[in-house]
Amino acid sequence: AAQGDQRTNVLQAPRVTMFDGQFASINDTVSRPFVTSLIPVVGDFAVAQQPVIVVLNEGTILNVQSTVSQDKRSVRLTLNPNFSQIDKVDTFTFEGSRRTTTNSSRRGDNILDPDDGSVDEEDEEEETVISGTTVQQPSFSNTSVSTTVSVPDGGTILLGGIKRMRESRIERGVPVLSKIPYLNRLFKNTAIGRETSTLMMTVTPRIIILEEEEEKYGVNPS
């Protein structure tokens, strides 16, 4: 028997500095264009296909608005993180034209003695070439959270989390012998695979007071 575990740890820690009551946004995405459909274009004695290109963004987007309390001890946050990922891209081709080419060859000819009585054989090979436009259909996964929380200065709060686990089991063995109790261990092979992914979203606000920062770094206000 064989067993395998696959684990992936991905850490994303966006940081942003803003004024009290300000709205801020962080965008860390990659734009990927896809040909999702076709538009037929008809002209004089001609027909063409115009591709429709759609651009999908893959990555992390964070929208946040903060309000500091009067005693400067806590922060009220309105958060909207968004995690997007392109999982799989299916493709298929619209047939535009078809061209068939035939190649023929002869065997059995005797050039030195054409009257030797041999029978000529002719072989034909056909090759079909299909040309067209390929259309892509991506599978898009999106995870988002929209919430309002109150967090003390320097504290950490868990906004939410998603845990996914996928398990597969494959058995292969000799027919009949792999079904006999106790003896089947000698004639079969079992493979177990597990894939686990966990997404945790936390936030840590820190209040920055200008007077304290100036005193800390020895900056004299003018």
Side-chain angles (χ1 to χ4, degrees):
Q3 183 177 357
D5 292 333
Q6 180 178 356
R7 299 182 181 181
T8 303
N9 297 324
V10 179
L11 175 62
Q12 295 180 353
R15 304 183 65 177
V16 62
T17 303
M18 69 190 75
F19 288 102
D20 185 15
Q22 183 185 3
F23 177 83
S25 177
I26 298 178
N27 191 329
D28 182 18
T29 58
V30 177
S31 299
R32 298 180 57 184
F34 295 95
V35 180
T36 57
S37 61
L38 300 174
I39 299 177
V41 179
V42 180
D44 296 336
F45 306 103
V47 178
Q49 295 176 344
Q50 179 181 356
V52 177
I53 300 177
V54 176
V55 179
L56 298 179
N57 295 324
E58 180 182 16
T60 304
I61 299 176
L62 175 62
N63 299 321
V64 58
Q65 185 178 13
S66 63
T67 303
V68 182
S69 61
Q70 294 182 356
D71 56 1
K72 308 296 183 181
R73 293 185 178 181
S74 62
V75 182
R76 183 180 180 183
L77 299 173
T78 301
L79 297 161
N80 184 15
N82 189 296
F83 304 91
S84 58
Q85 182 179 2
I86 299 174
D87 297 330
K88 182 182 178 182
V89 180
D90 298 327
T91 60
F92 61 92
T93 303
F94 284 103
E95 182 178 344
S97 62
R98 182 187 295 264
R99 183 181 62 184
T100 303
T101 304
T102 303
N103 298 324
S104 60
S105 60
R106 301 183 63 183
R107 296 182 303 172
D109 293 339
N110 192 342
I111 301 177
L112 299 178
D113 188 5
D115 298 331
D116 61 349
S118 60
V119 180
D120 296 342
E121 296 181 359
E122 184 174 355
D123 297 335
E124 292 186 357
E125 296 181 357
E126 291 187 357
E127 181 181 1
T128 303
V129 179
I130 301 175
S131 60
T133 305
T134 301
V135 175
Q136 301 168 318
Q137 298 293 329
S139 299
F140 194 74
S141 61
N142 190 4
T143 304
S144 62
V145 175
S146 180
T147 183
T148 301
V149 294
S150 180
V151 190
D153 181 23
T156 302
I157 187 172
L158 177 63
L159 299 179
I162 298 176
K163 183 177 182 180
R164 299 184 180 93
M165 185 178 67
R166 181 182 302 172
E167 182 176 353
S168 60
R169 180 184 179 93
I170 302 175
E171 292 186 0
R172 292 186 177 90
V174 181
V176 181
L177 296 179
S178 61
K179 302 298 181 181
I180 301 176
Y182 302 105
L183 295 179
N184 55 1
R185 297 182 179 180
L186 302 176
F187 300 99
K188 75 174 182 179
N189 185 16
T190 303
I192 300 175
R194 293 185 180 92
E195 182 179 353
T196 304
S197 62
T198 304
L199 175 62
M200 308 295 290
M201 290 170 282
T202 61
V203 61
T204 303
R206 300 186 185 277
I207 300 175
I208 300 176
I209 302 176
L210 295 180
E211 292 78 5
E212 295 180 357
E213 294 296 321
E214 291 175 353
E215 183 180 356
K216 178 180 178 181
Y217 292 100
V219 178
N220 296 324
S222 56

